[in-house]
Structures are given as structure tokens and as C-alpha cells.
Amino acid sequence: MTDVVVVGGGVAGLVAARDLAKGGAHVVLVEASGVLGGMVRRHTVAGLDVDMAADSFATRNDAVGRLAIELGLGNEITTPDPRGAWLMTRDGRTFPIPATGLLGIPGSPMAADVLAVVGQKAAFRAQMDSLLPSLVGSKATSLGELVRKRMGERVLDDLVVPIVAGVHSTHPDHLDPDRVAPGLRAALLRDGSLARAVLALRARATAGSAVQGIRGGIVRLVDELVADMDTYGVEVRLHTRATAIEEHAVELVSADGPTERLPADHVLASTPDPARTAPATRTGIELVTLVVDQPELDAAPRGTGMLVHPDAAEVAAKAITHATVKWPWLAEAAAGRHVLRLSYATDATDGADVATSLPVDPADATGTRATRDATALLGVPVAPSAVVGAARVRWHGPDTTAAGLAEGVVAIGEASTGRGLAGIVASSRTAAEHILDS
């Protein structure tokens, strides 16, 4: 019998395995694919090493920052360019994202930057939130329902939908507010309005930027975590799939071996239970990265990028990141070229559990769509002839179906705690700490 088996070698599994092994536990980490890190990986486009998926982490807690310091990357933490991002509404209008919001929910509904997006009538309706009893919307089962009841349909559609769709790849009507905005419901009941709740959560957040990054890419966290698997003696088994996950045992099958039952004092899993019968509920995600030689983009016409309403006309992308504006270290490495990252929602069957970077021809359908969308979103012509390198990556969005893990199995990772490195790292470390304390 081993002390702990960790199922899943993404960031959640790596963090939990590291902390447990560092604390003296014997840990076996199993991963169905041949790659550790999940979607936090790198690929090379036009000679530039860039993150394959996430390029930043939220600073609503200090979990990722503290981990980076422990991994020797404290001096490599960097903040994005302060110009901020823009949004595109359903009808194609573009605006800077209002300054005092949370997932698009305005903390000051009558502020000029909110009025510019939603108009006076909708802003006045949102301001009425302050007069409603705090119980209105407090039991909402979705973020969309909460905002709709407190601030109205227009604020939901013009502000919250494009921002949430870009961040969580899901409509607010399908997101649990307690999962994507922890503390918001309690703050509403305590402070009496949704706007005041947003301001209270923002005031308690870590000072400075809402997100941070790592020079050289978020993937450097995975590099160090993988190195620590050796340092702390974690037994890593790649190409090993869990066929049954129980409180004190995991059944495993490897690519070149028989089924094995591995007993353990504790089992942690960042994957759904293999015996779960409910189908996964998730989207497919495609990220197209363009490296372009386009001096007109030096002016950063849309700041660090843009989040797009899912129903915006004539634009297929749901977001674009002007990465060489967002990250000065990348601009330096790009030497005058620009890195644009466009994300698309695709059918769930087009996603992948372990994504692969594939080259893109700027003149093919994917390349033409990306340059057309970049032109529409940035307001600067981006011709296929200006593209010096391009690649695309496809993977699955978060599974919103309950993981269905057996009683006693400790749930970690995206399957249980939702998307976002900040929450995933925090919950994984808490789970490891509880096991070590026991």
C-alpha cells in the first residue's frame, strides 16, 4: 500500500503530488497521456516559445504567486501592460472594458465607461440594484440569473456575456456564481446590492493587476513542478489510465501492461470518475496564434486585446489577445513582430484531452478566418502576407457535469473546482495539507 495515489498529471495533480511528497508521503502520480501539465504547455510559432493555452493567472488569491516563489520563479512574475482589454457587444460596437467590474458586473453602474457600453436607460436600471432587497436574486442558480434579476438584461448581455464567454468559454446562464465568483452571493446579502458586493470583493482582492504572468510563459511553472517530481521522489506513471477510482484504491491499466489494483491510504483525482454514466458537458476550444509583421499594430489599437460577444455579427473569434502588447517580455523576444492569439468555441467533439500544436497556412480556411477576425477586432488590416508564422491548438473546455467521484476520494482540479489556475492551485494545496495533517 502506498500513502497517496494522485490521478491526473495536470497542474492540480502536480501541485498536490509535490506538496504531499515534500511533506513526507509516498506518492504515485498516474497520467493517462504521455505528457504532464495538462493544457499548461508550450509550443513554438515562428521561432517564439509561447504558452499553448493559459498565459496568465488571476491574483484574486496569492496561491499561484506563492507557488511561483517556492519554485524559484518569484523574480520572474510580471504584470501585464496597464492599457487593459476591450470588449465587442452583440451588435459589433467596441469599448474599453469598464474599470470597476467583476466578470463584467459593474461596481459603479452609472460610471461613464459603463454608460458608454449599455446606455443611460440600461445603466439606470442597473443602478436600481441598490434599491432592491438583498434577497432578490440571492438564491439564483446561475450567474446570468443573478445579474438579470439585480441589474437587468442589457447589462447582462452587453457586459457580462462577452467577458464571461471569453474567460470561461460558457454563457453566464450555465455558470454557478459560487464557483466562478466565490463570495459574491454572501457579499450581496451582507452589503445589500450586487454593485456594492462587486466593489467589496475588488477591495479585498490583492492590490495591483487582476492577473499576472511569468516571463517566458506560464509553462515555466510546469517545468519546475515536473522537476520537483524527481526532487521529492514522486513515482510518476505516464500512459497509465485509471479504470476505477475508490477511496482507498485505484485500478490502473497501462499501455504495455495488465490491469493493476493499487491500494492507498488516500486517493486524489483531478478527473471524473471512470464509472460516471452522465455524459460530459463541455465545449471545444481552438486557439490560433499568429505572428505577424505589421508595424501598424505598434499603436496597440485595442489595448491588450478584446473579448467578444458570442453572437457578434461577422466575427467568429470569441476573444483576441494582443500578446506582445500584454507582455513586454514577449514583445522584446518578438523583436518588432506582433503575436496575436485568437480563441474560438468549437463543437465539443473537435476538442482534445491532450492537445497538439499544428501549423496553419495563412492562406487556408483557418488562417483566412483568423486574419479576417484580427482585422475586424483590432481595426487594422492584417493581411495573410503579413503572417510570418501561425499554429492552432484544440482542446476541451471545462466539464460542467459533476465529476461523480466515489465518497472519500478527494476531488481536485478543473473537474471539481472549475477553471483557472488560482482556484486549482489553492484547492490542490489545501487538499494536500489536509491529508498531511491527518
Side-chain angles (χ1 to χ4, degrees):
M1 177 176 284
T2 189
D3 292 332
V4 187
V5 175
V6 179
V7 181
V11 170
L14 289 170
V15 169
R18 173 190 183 271
D19 283 3
L20 287 162
K22 186 179 179 182
H26 174 241
V27 181
V28 176
L29 173 68
V30 298
E31 165 59 36
S33 75
V35 181
L36 294 174
M39 278 309 305
V40 182
R41 297 168 57 196
R42 66 168 53 81
H43 63 160
T44 303
V45 186
L48 295 172
D49 286 340
V50 294
D51 284 306
M52 189 178 281
D55 68 346
S56 63
F57 57 88
T59 58
R60 64 176 181 270
N61 61 41
D62 64 351
V64 181
R66 285 192 299 109
L67 177 65
I69 291 170
E70 291 178 30
L71 295 173
L73 297 173
N75 291 332
E76 303 301 300
I77 296 174
T78 185
T79 56
D81 186 280
R83 278 172 280 195
W86 288 45
L87 62 82
M88 175 177 280
T89 61
R90 178 191 295 270
D91 54 5
R93 294 173 296 129
T94 60
F95 305 93
I97 293 176
T100 61
L102 175 70
L103 291 176
I105 307 169
S108 302
M110 296 300 291
D113 51 6
V114 177
L115 283 165
V117 181
V118 304
Q120 188 170 12
K121 182 178 178 180
F124 184 73
R125 165 63 184 89
Q127 184 66 28
M128 295 297 290
D129 158 68
S130 64
L131 302 179
L132 296 174
S134 60
L135 289 176
V136 173
S138 63
K139 296 183 179 180
T141 58
S142 73
L143 184 68
E145 181 188 358
L146 174 59
V147 175
R148 189 180 287 110
K149 287 185 174 180
R150 298 294 312 187
M151 292 189 171
E153 192 72 41
R154 184 68 181 271
V155 163
L156 173 65
D157 196 57
D158 280 357
L159 281 174
V160 181
V161 167
I163 292 176
V164 166
V167 174
H168 292 284
S169 304
T170 307
H171 192 282
D173 283 341
H174 305 300
L175 289 174
D176 180 351
D178 298 324
R179 195 171 184 181
V180 297
L184 182 63
R185 194 192 306 268
L188 164 62
L189 292 170
R190 182 184 65 248
D191 297 328
S193 86
L194 187 58
R196 286 194 289 271
V198 166
L199 293 177
L201 292 184
R202 287 178 59 92
R204 291 202 298 271
T206 305
S209 174
V211 299
Q212 291 181 318
I214 303 288
R215 290 185 185 88
I218 293 295
V219 69
R220 293 184 66 193
L221 290 171
V222 168
D223 293 340
E224 299 302 327
L225 286 168
V226 171
D228 275 357
M229 296 302 100
D230 285 334
T231 301
Y232 297 116
V234 175
E235 182 183 339
V236 177
R237 301 189 187 182
L238 300 176
H239 302 291
T240 303
R241 180 169 53 88
T243 57
I245 303 174
E246 304 169 8
E247 181 178 4
H248 294 299
V250 179
E251 289 190 0
L252 305 170
V253 59
S254 61
D256 55 357
T259 299
E260 172 189 4
R261 183 174 176 83
L262 185 60
D265 290 331
H266 304 276
V267 174
L268 291 80
S270 62
T271 64
D273 193 284
R276 186 184 73 176
T277 56
T281 304
R282 56 190 181 184
T283 59
I285 300 171
E286 180 179 71
L287 179 71
V288 179
T289 299
L290 304 178
V291 179
V292 301
D293 187 1
Q294 194 84 31
E296 294 84 354
L297 292 173
D298 293 349
R302 295 293 185 269
T304 59
M306 182 175 290
L307 299 172
V308 183
H309 193 289
D311 298 326
E314 299 181 2
V315 177
K318 67 184 183 68
I320 185 171
T321 299
H322 195 159
T324 37
V325 172
K326 186 176 181 180
W327 303 116
W329 66 264
L330 184 57
E332 182 178 351
R337 298 170 295 172
H338 291 267
V339 178
L340 309 176
R341 291 158 46 100
L342 297 102
S343 56
Y344 296 86
T346 67
D347 186 88
T349 58
D350 290 335
D353 292 321
V354 178
T356 303
S357 176
L358 299 174
V360 168
D361 182 344
D364 70 12
T366 299
T368 300
R369 179 189 62 178
T371 53
R372 182 187 66 236
D373 285 349
T375 296
L377 295 172
L378 299 178
V380 171
V382 178
S385 59
V387 178
V388 296
R392 75 176 184 183
V393 177
R394 286 182 173 177
W395 72 96
H396 285 130
D399 184 354
T400 57
T401 300
L405 292 165
E407 184 177 354
V409 177
V410 180
I412 58 174
E414 187 175 89
S416 301
T417 61
R419 198 174 184 191
L421 285 173
I424 287 171
V425 169
S427 63
S428 297
R429 305 201 81 174
T430 297
E433 183 179 3
H434 287 167
I435 289 174
L436 291 172
D437 286 345
S438 67

